[in-house]
Amino acid sequence: MRRLSSAAVLAAIVLLPIATRAADPIPHDSIFPPWQHGANNDARDRGLSFTVPEIDNLADFHGNLSDPKLVLYVGGNYFFAMAPLTAAFEQQHPEFKGRIYWETIPPGLLVKQIEAGGTVTSGNMTWTVKPDAYFAGLNKVQGLIDQGVLAGPPVPYVTNTLTIMVPAGNPGHVKGLFDLARPDLHLAMPNPEFEGVANQIESSLKKAGGDALATAVYKTKVADGSTVLTHIHHRQTPLFLMQGRAQAGVTWQSEAVFQEGIGNPISHVDIPTRQNATAVYAGAEAKDAPHPQAARLWLAFIRSPTALAIFARYGFKPFTKAASAD
């Protein structure tokens, strides 16, 4: 009997990689970023067009560095809204046409760039561009104001909630957050070191299944390889799902709305309100901003009815004091 039990355990260990393998890749011709066909580039004269998806692709750096009149460091989870926001802003302020540069990497990495004096390296290219304004979660922005990195007060503008992003057809048969603990389910999850959304996700996991669920997703499954932590979840999570490397990942619901809207083979599973988390998005002027007046114009614009209508296309809701309390 003892031999049989040992054999059964050994068989389970050998077969574990097969059981936990993610779904087969979804065939699709354009699953690689930047996904917007140049719409997020504010430069007027683009010269040689050289973008090779998956090979040479700076998806989260936008515009012309030569002589920008406004530089924005934007937490990446609404990168898709920046093109229409910029177009609307430039209609109101035509002097900025083609002169706005923005980045949409995770907020924690943007802070590291600020600490580096605005210098960043991607691949073989290094450049320096200091921010006029910074945008992330309200708590993050307030913390940076308290540290003297940003100039207050913070300007809150919209809120967002979480969802479970899955490949089209939901091959992992995910019904809710509790399913994320299943050993057969491969996950792509935001890395707490770089991405503030991980804090809201952990809170939601605890609401749904207590500390045990949060531990299973962010410790046990990370250790055994069935949870992959992303560096830039708004790009990696949908890409990993479409490549078959994962079957689920928690993201902001607006990101799933965008992916579905552009026709990528992505879907989502709603998280009930009682288990969900609400983020408040805010911005503030950078200390020693190169273009402080331009920063103030954008901060005023970002909470205007025009901007809020653009955010609403992706499911964002206007900020209210009630949302802040939540």
Side-chain angles (χ1 to χ4, degrees):
M1 191 71 176
R2 187 174 300 161
R3 289 178 182 172
L4 181 60
S5 299
S6 299
V9 171
L10 180 59
I13 294 173
V14 171
L15 291 174
L16 182 62
I18 298 175
T20 59
R21 185 176 64 85
D24 290 334
I26 298 171
H28 200 260
D29 292 336
S30 58
I31 65 172
F32 296 104
W35 294 318
Q36 290 170 293
H37 310 293
N40 260 15
N41 183 353
D42 192 50
R44 284 183 170 182
D45 181 5
R46 301 190 184 186
L48 170 68
S49 179
F50 183 75
T51 300
V52 184
E54 192 185 11
I55 305 299
D56 275 299
N57 181 2
L58 291 174
D60 283 290
F61 303 95
H62 316 276
N64 191 328
L65 281 165
S66 297
D67 187 23
K69 297 180 69 173
L70 174 61
V71 176
L72 305 172
Y73 280 17
V74 180
N77 45 57
Y78 67 82
F79 70 90
F80 40 82
M82 283 300 295
L85 286 169
T86 300
F89 178 80
E90 290 175 346
Q91 283 188 338
Q92 297 179 14
H93 304 282
E95 67 272 22
F96 289 94
K97 180 68 177 174
R99 304 288 294 280
I100 303 177
Y101 171 89
W102 67 95
E103 298 183 10
T104 51
I105 60 178
L109 297 179
L110 289 170
V111 172
K112 290 182 181 296
Q113 186 176 348
I114 291 174
E115 293 171 347
T119 300
V120 62
T121 296
S122 181
N124 293 320
M125 182 177 175
T126 299
W127 65 97
T128 299
V129 56
K130 295 183 177 181
D132 294 309
Y134 171 94
F135 301 85
L138 177 58
N139 290 339
K140 183 71 171 179
V141 170
Q142 183 61 62
L144 292 171
I145 292 172
D146 295 342
Q147 295 171 35
V149 176
L150 303 177
V155 178
Y157 45 99
V158 292
T159 65
N160 207 354
T161 54
L162 299 170
T163 194
I164 305 172
M165 187 182 287
V166 296
N170 194 5
H173 308 290
V174 177
K175 296 179 181 178
L177 288 172
F178 201 78
D179 283 328
L180 302 188
R182 284 171 24 206
D184 66 305
L185 195 71
H186 277 218
L187 306 177
M189 299 293 287
N191 191 325
E193 184 177 353
F194 306 112
E195 305 189 272
V197 63
N199 297 323
Q200 283 95 339
I201 292 172
E202 185 175 9
S203 174
S204 285
L205 290 170
K206 289 179 178 179
K207 291 176 186 177
D211 289 341
L213 180 56
T215 299
V217 170
Y218 265 111
K219 287 188 168 48
T220 305
K221 296 189 64 162
V222 169
D224 69 25
S226 57
T227 289
V228 175
L229 297 181
T230 63
H231 281 70
I232 183 163
H233 85 270
H234 61 273
R235 300 288 185 187
Q236 289 177 303
T237 298
L239 185 58
F240 288 175
L241 295 177
M242 290 186 282
Q243 290 177 320
R245 296 176 59 181
Q247 296 158 302
V250 182
T251 69
W252 295 115
Q253 59 83 30
S254 56
E255 296 166 24
V257 169
F258 166 71
Q259 293 291 337
E260 294 166 12
I262 64 173
N264 275 342
I266 290 292
S267 186
H268 71 279
V269 176
D270 290 329
I271 298 173
T273 301
R274 67 184 181 279
Q275 298 175 0
N276 217 315
T278 299
V280 177
Y281 290 61
E285 181 183 334
K287 183 182 178 182
D288 301 324
H291 313 96
Q293 185 58 39
R296 291 166 201 152
L297 286 174
W298 184 271
L299 287 164
F301 165 77
I302 202 71
R303 55 181 172 175
S304 69
T306 298
L308 294 177
I310 292 171
F311 279 115
R313 301 176 194 171
Y314 307 100
F316 293 92
K317 292 181 171 54
F319 166 79
T320 64
K321 290 185 178 179
S324 180
D326 181 59

